[in-house]
Amino acid sequence: RRDAGPEVGEVRNTVLPYQTVLASQILDMIGVLIAETVESFNSQELANLLWAFATAGRSDPVLFQAVATRLVGVATDPVGQGAKPQEMSNSVWAFATSGTRGTGQIELLKYVSDVLSRDADGHLAASFKPQELSNTAWGAATLLSRRDGPHTAADAPEDAAVHDILRAVAHAIVLRADEFKPQEISNSAWAFATVLFGEEDQSSQEDIALRRDALEAMADSAIGRLEKFSPQELNNLAWTYARLMHGGPKITELFDGIGLEMQRRLNRFSPQDVSTTLWSFATMGYQNEEVFRTSIHRVARDARKFKPQELSNTIWALATIGILPETNKFEDLSWFESGRISMSVDIVTSCFAAVANEAARRPHEFKGQELKDVLWSFSKSGSRHPILFKAVASHLAGMGGDGGGGRGFGDFASQGIGNIAWAYAKQAQLVDAGSKNTGRLATYESSWSDVGGNLISRLFKTLGDDSIKRGLSIFKPQDLSNTCWAMATLGILHREYFELVGEEVANRLTRDVSNAGKTPTNRSAMDQFGGQEVANTLWSFATLNFSSENLLNSISPYILMKCMGPSLQADDRRIAMEFNRQELANLVWSFSVLERYPDKLIQLLWRGLIGKDGDPESQKVLMGDEGLRRESVMSMLQFQLAADIEVPHLGIKLPEGFPVGWGVGEEVYTMGQVSISGLQKAVSRCFTRVGYKHQQEYILIDDDDNIAHNTPYLKYVSIDLANEEEKVGIEVDGPAHFVNIIDGSTAVVEANCDAGGQSSGGKDRGRIFNWKGGRVTNGPTALKERVLTHLGWHVVHIPFWEWGDLGGDSDAENEYCLDLIDEF
């Protein structure tokens, strides 16, 4: 044919492709013959056929099922001698390699399992060569990992068969690990990790101990010959120990050796080998900075050659282990050029920049988990990257208007949704030290300037909507609390989402209280809220000034159940186990914002904050901290002020002289250095122009109501503009006093302020909050107004957007202020 001439010219110089076609036709013909004569084959011939078809890449489910059924029949024939180890191993390997599943494959696994399970004295297993054992283990685990659909009772026989096989392999490894070649060690380890053989919550104590012994034996055998392991085999080893969370001195020694081989042979490691090995090191908390820095040169240099999972695994490993970029600002990337490493920039910074560049350039190639890991890594490491975060937000939420919708969160796991929400909020908190604003306003400003108000609202609207569609019952407590915390931190409210979260959390807490004392199922244990999740969730509701009656009713009995001993009295050690003091302070503050004071619970939380005897030093020891953080102190002061006025009968009292001696360091907690905004100054000038007497930043320390209400903490409250004689307080409310509603007909619509990507030193940022639409007063502002009202003050609010609408026109401003004066 090759010399035939023009009429067959299409196959000139294509001998191999033509032979491939012929081989395929021959295999087709053989397959037909086998189907017709399968009853005449012996076990060795049947196993060889399966091996040959799998090796040739030919997967014929009908043929494979027929051959497997006949093989099991021949092997179990009482007259015969059964299948030999190589025949069993090759057959299982063939099914796994070809990706063929079915009843015949399951019968084959059950047969191999039955043979090995009857081998009480280990004689038969000893007749298996290490390669046959490892191939059988690899094949069985591969087949199980490829099973589609949810796990059902019908899957139990296959599960049991695979675990029986792995049990026999583990026994063999414990007895003769040194006989296993590197590939055989690697494949066996991979099999154990893939099916989680010997996992504590689903295995017998014998299997748990057997797995431990096998892993130790493999590590001990591998350490002295790691130079003989290929990069993929080293990667598989590291992944196995990380996946199974098996650590210890021997594993540290093993990781030392794997790291050394990585450094010696880095160019032979594929991108997958590099990224997965680093992921494994970080997962196990193994920190060898030299190994990490050497390995990531590949990423910084060849990022475009790395798959998204390889990029995200690498940057996640760096952030998790705490190897961070020297710069925490990726706003000006003029120094970065993909594929080139600058000697003036540290390699970790270059690696972060390279990964971000790829994620921003091709986010559609990244799976949900991979995008989440990249964004989480930047926020976890304290590194700002406005370009990356805006690009991903645009990809997920769409450009709005005529720009079309985005990808959404359909392929994100519930944990991914919570983590990506956390990443955006944490990113907004990474405000430059030189920023003129602090606290909540700085966070809002950072988010709106870097990502854009419209875009961040669309992103969280999409996130909330997608979460509601899939049902909140599948979300773990941390996922729900992270998402709520993120929205509250950014000052955005998805009302339907919060309504449903309130119901979902209340149902879980109520269920756990009713099941107290019972042995929890795996599912109920996973759903249990810890102290951090409870505190963050309630803090989010309070910050957004959004109340859920069922949530409030369920939290008190839940915390009491967790923190009270058998005598139904507060247990100091249980309190310390469930909560840190920042969380306790957040809880009491949240209850005061939402105007709920459950007596017994408040007493318990207060005891956790100041102790039974009010001794700061003993409480530090009990709670394991260095004192109260500033945020905790201020939350406690605000709670005390509200409690003194609204529930004095509770008898809640801060220790004498508080906060002196209670805080971390020697901070002075006074109102003496309050920053006055430009907006407040402008309003004050106008009231002065129209002749209204007032004082800026009026502190209530001199007020007679201080004594009347028996509270010494009014010195921590100030009023923007106050007329002391008339008891009129004028609050000039900037963006940090409001919550933006992002769902429903009153959702916020921003006007031309998607600045995204501007550096802190860029254009005037004072006008970035030019939005119109739905908003409500946030929790801190509502609490302050309630306290002032109790004290007899008439509080008037001037929202920033109303003042902004006056456009700086003095006459319009004068008229606005005079109208307010007429009202009060």
Side-chain angles (χ1 to χ4, degrees):
R1 294 292 300 264
R2 185 174 51 180
D3 299 328
E7 68 275 18
V8 289
E10 70 275 10
V11 295
R12 286 188 188 279
N13 302 319
T14 57
V15 178
L16 289 177
Y18 184 64
Q19 288 178 341
T20 300
V21 172
L22 287 178
S24 178
Q25 293 173 348
I26 291 170
L27 287 172
D28 286 341
M29 296 170 66
I30 291 175
V32 172
L33 292 171
I34 293 170
E36 295 174 350
T37 61
V38 69
E39 296 296 325
S40 65
F41 286 78
N42 62 35
S43 60
Q44 181 178 354
E45 293 162 347
L46 292 166
N48 284 349
L49 285 170
L50 291 173
W51 179 91
F53 272 81
T55 301
R58 295 297 297 268
S59 174
D60 186 330
V62 175
L63 175 64
F64 268 61
Q65 301 309 322
V67 172
T69 300
R70 174 58 183 166
L71 175 59
V72 172
V74 171
T76 55
D77 187 341
V79 179
Q81 298 180 348
K84 296 177 182 178
Q86 185 179 25
E87 296 163 4
M88 289 185 269
S89 170
N90 283 353
S91 299
V92 173
W93 177 91
F95 268 95
T97 300
S98 66
T100 304
R101 287 185 51 81
T103 55
Q105 160 255 318
I106 295 175
E107 289 304 312
L108 175 63
L109 287 177
K110 288 167 64 178
Y111 166 71
V112 176
S113 157
D114 188 51
V115 169
L116 292 172
S117 297
R118 293 199 310 268
D119 184 31
D121 59 1
H123 177 73
L124 179 59
S127 69
F128 276 75
K129 297 176 182 178
Q131 182 180 14
E132 294 162 354
L133 287 170
S134 67
N135 281 352
T136 305
W138 176 88
T142 299
L143 286 166
L144 199 63
S145 70
R146 290 177 178 168
R147 186 169 62 198
D148 295 328
H151 187 275
T152 66
D155 297 323
E158 184 182 13
D159 293 341
V162 171
H163 281 77
D164 286 344
I165 291 169
L166 294 183
R167 189 175 298 113
V169 175
H171 276 298
I173 288 173
V174 171
L175 294 173
R176 50 190 176 116
D178 288 343
E179 297 178 18
F180 282 66
K181 296 176 181 178
Q183 184 179 18
E184 295 155 6
I185 288 280
S186 170
N187 284 351
S188 300
W190 180 90
F192 294 149
T194 297
V195 302
L196 297 175
F197 173 73
E199 198 72 355
E200 286 193 11
D201 61 349
Q202 55 194 28
S203 304
S204 66
Q205 291 301 312
E206 291 79 6
D207 280 353
I208 293 170
L210 176 60
R211 185 183 86 177
R212 181 187 63 242
D213 293 344
L215 291 173
E216 289 291 316
M218 285 192 291
D220 191 53
S221 176
I223 286 171
R225 50 184 172 135
L226 289 173
E227 73 281 356
K228 297 180 181 179
F229 282 68
S230 71
Q232 183 178 0
E233 291 160 1
L234 293 171
N235 167 22
N236 280 351
L237 267 186
W239 179 81
T240 293
Y241 289 93
R243 165 90 164 155
L244 298 178
M245 294 302 292
H246 181 91
K250 185 68 67 177
I251 311 311
T252 300
E253 186 180 353
L254 174 66
F255 280 15
D256 285 337
I258 293 174
L260 181 61
E261 291 301 318
M262 276 188 80
Q263 291 178 282
R264 290 174 51 194
R265 299 186 264 159
L266 183 60
N267 288 334
R268 294 178 57 190
F269 277 69
S270 70
Q272 182 180 12
D273 295 332
V274 171
S275 64
T276 306
T277 303
L278 293 182
W279 176 91
S280 302
F281 285 171
T283 299
M284 293 301 291
Y286 173 77
Q287 184 172 9
N288 185 323
E289 189 159 347
E290 183 180 354
V291 170
F292 274 85
R293 287 183 174 273
T294 300
S295 303
I296 62 176
H297 273 81
R298 288 282 303 280
V299 182
R301 185 180 66 235
D302 302 323
R304 295 202 172 198
K305 299 179 183 178
F306 278 62
K307 296 176 182 177
Q309 184 179 23
E310 296 159 358
L311 295 170
S312 64
N313 277 352
T314 301
I315 195 174
W316 179 91
L318 291 170
T320 298
I321 210 66
I323 299 176
L324 309 179
E326 287 184 359
T327 179
N328 61 359
K329 293 186 289 186
F330 288 80
E331 296 154 295
D332 177 12
L333 295 177
S334 58
W335 55 268
F336 173 73
E337 183 178 347
S338 183
R340 299 185 65 181
I341 302 174
S342 171
M343 297 302 293
S344 63
V345 179
D346 83 291
I347 191 61
V348 180
T349 300
S350 293
C351 180
F352 267 72
V355 173
N357 188 58
E358 293 304 304
R361 185 177 67 85
R362 48 182 173 124
H364 56 282
E365 296 182 16
F366 284 65
K367 295 178 182 177
Q369 179 174 342
E370 295 156 2
L371 280 178
K372 175 267 294 183
D373 282 346
V374 171
L375 298 188
W376 179 90
S377 299
F378 268 87
S379 292
K380 176 68 173 178
S381 66
S383 302
R384 289 188 68 205
H385 200 313
I387 296 172
L388 168 65
F389 277 76
K390 184 172 185 181
V392 173
S394 297
H395 170 68
L396 294 174
M399 297 306 296
D402 296 331
R407 161 180 165 179
F409 292 86
D411 68 326
F412 280 70
S414 58
Q415 181 186 21
I417 288 179
N419 281 357
I420 206 167
W422 177 90
Y424 271 91
K426 199 67 178 177
Q427 186 78 187
Q429 290 184 325
L430 301 176
V431 182
D432 291 337
S435 175
K436 66 179 181 180
N437 294 317
T438 59
R440 191 176 294 109
L441 179 58
T443 299
Y444 289 8
E445 183 183 74
S446 175
S447 174
W448 283 54
S449 177
D450 290 350
V451 179
N454 257 342
L455 186 51
I456 201 70
S457 295
R458 283 200 310 276
L459 178 70
F460 276 86
K461 170 71 163 58
T462 304
L463 184 151
D465 289 347
D466 284 2
S467 299
I468 291 169
K469 286 178 184 177
R470 67 176 67 186
L472 299 186
S473 62
I474 68 170
F475 286 75
K476 294 180 181 178
Q478 187 176 17
D479 307 330
L480 295 172
S481 66
N482 275 351
T483 303
C484 290
W485 176 87
M487 290 191 189
T489 298
L490 295 172
I492 51 183
L493 173 61
H494 192 303
R495 291 171 298 186
E496 183 182 3
Y497 178 81
F498 268 79
E499 286 173 1
L500 294 175
V501 167
E503 295 300 315
E504 178 65 28
V505 176
N507 288 340
R508 294 194 201 181
L509 300 186
T510 301
R511 179 205 62 200
D512 290 342
V513 170
S514 65
N515 290 337
K518 300 178 184 178
T519 302
T521 63
N522 288 342
R523 176 68 185 175
S524 64
M526 181 191 75
D527 283 346
Q528 285 195 353
F529 276 70
Q532 183 180 23
E533 287 93 24
V534 170
N536 283 354
T537 301
L538 189 63
W539 176 88
S540 302
F541 276 75
T543 298
L544 294 174
N545 200 17
F546 190 88
S547 185
S548 167
E549 193 70 16
N550 286 341
L551 175 64
L552 288 168
N553 289 337
S554 65
I555 282 182
S556 182
Y558 183 79
I559 295 178
L560 291 174
M561 174 195 73
K562 288 281 190 177
C563 297
M564 293 177 69
S567 62
L568 299 182
Q569 297 298 317
D571 186 315
D572 293 332
R573 295 196 177 277
R574 288 194 181 194
I575 296 172
M577 288 175 60
E578 287 292 330
F579 298 99
N580 63 42
R581 286 202 278 181
Q582 178 67 53
E583 293 158 359
L584 293 170
N586 283 348
L587 282 168
V588 295
W589 176 84
S590 299
F591 277 114
S592 65
V593 169
L594 298 171
E595 212 169 350
R596 293 288 289 267
Y597 299 93
D599 188 347
K600 201 166 187 177
L601 176 61
I602 294 297
Q603 300 287 355
L604 181 144
L605 298 175
W606 206 245
R607 177 166 174 159
L609 285 164
I610 65 172
K612 180 175 63 174
D613 301 318
D615 176 39
E617 295 306 317
S618 62
Q619 201 63 10
K620 289 179 187 178
V621 174
L622 175 65
M623 299 301 293
D625 58 33
E626 297 178 356
L628 292 165
R629 294 165 53 187
R630 181 178 179 84
E631 296 87 347
S632 302
V633 169
M634 298 311 294
S635 294
M636 292 169 67
L637 289 169
Q638 292 172 28
F639 168 81
Q640 180 72 77
L641 178 58
D644 282 344
I645 296 171
E646 295 182 332
V647 284
H649 62 276
L650 291 184
I652 295 292
K653 293 297 176 186
L654 285 165
E656 186 176 351
F658 186 90
V660 175
W662 287 86
V664 177
E666 297 295 329
E667 283 190 286
V668 179
Y669 300 91
T670 70
M671 297 297 296
Q673 299 179 339
V674 174
S675 175
I676 301 176
S677 69
L679 173 63
Q680 181 177 321
K681 292 176 182 177
V683 173
S684 177
R685 287 195 297 269
C686 183
F687 274 109
T688 299
R689 286 199 304 267
V690 298
Y692 187 73
K693 182 181 177 182
H694 66 279
Q695 178 181 337
Q696 284 203 73
E697 291 303 332
Y698 175 81
I699 298 175
L700 301 187
I701 188 171
D702 296 323
D703 198 310
D704 288 340
D705 283 307
N706 185 340
I707 300 172
H709 287 276
N710 193 31
T711 177
Y713 299 106
L714 291 174
K715 61 184 177 181
Y716 297 102
V717 180
S718 70
I719 302 173
D720 291 346
L721 309 176
N723 184 307
E724 185 178 0
E725 294 178 4
E726 300 178 8
K727 281 215 150 188
V728 171
I730 302 170
E731 290 289 284
V732 182
D733 294 336
H737 291 267
F738 297 97
V739 171
N740 301 333
I741 301 171
I742 61 173
D743 66 321
S745 59
T746 58
V748 167
V749 179
E750 183 190 5
N752 301 320
C753 58
D754 267 339
Q758 293 288 331
S759 69
S760 61
K763 70 176 189 176
D764 175 21
R765 291 151 68 97
R767 297 289 295 168
I768 67 171
F769 297 103
N770 271 339
W771 40 259
K772 304 285 184 185
R775 64 191 64 81
V776 294
T777 300
N778 64 20
T781 301
L783 176 61
K784 180 179 178 181
E785 178 174 3
R786 208 172 74 234
V787 167
L788 289 173
T789 301
H790 282 309
L791 295 173
W793 286 81
H794 178 65
V795 183
V796 179
H797 293 275
I798 299 180
F800 70 96
W801 66 87
E802 289 188 4
W803 191 262
D805 284 345
L806 302 177
D809 184 321
S810 297
D811 291 338
E813 291 174 350
N814 292 347
E815 183 179 357
Y816 179 92
C817 290
L818 287 170
D819 286 343
L820 281 181
I821 293 170
D822 287 342
E823 290 180 17
F824 57 69

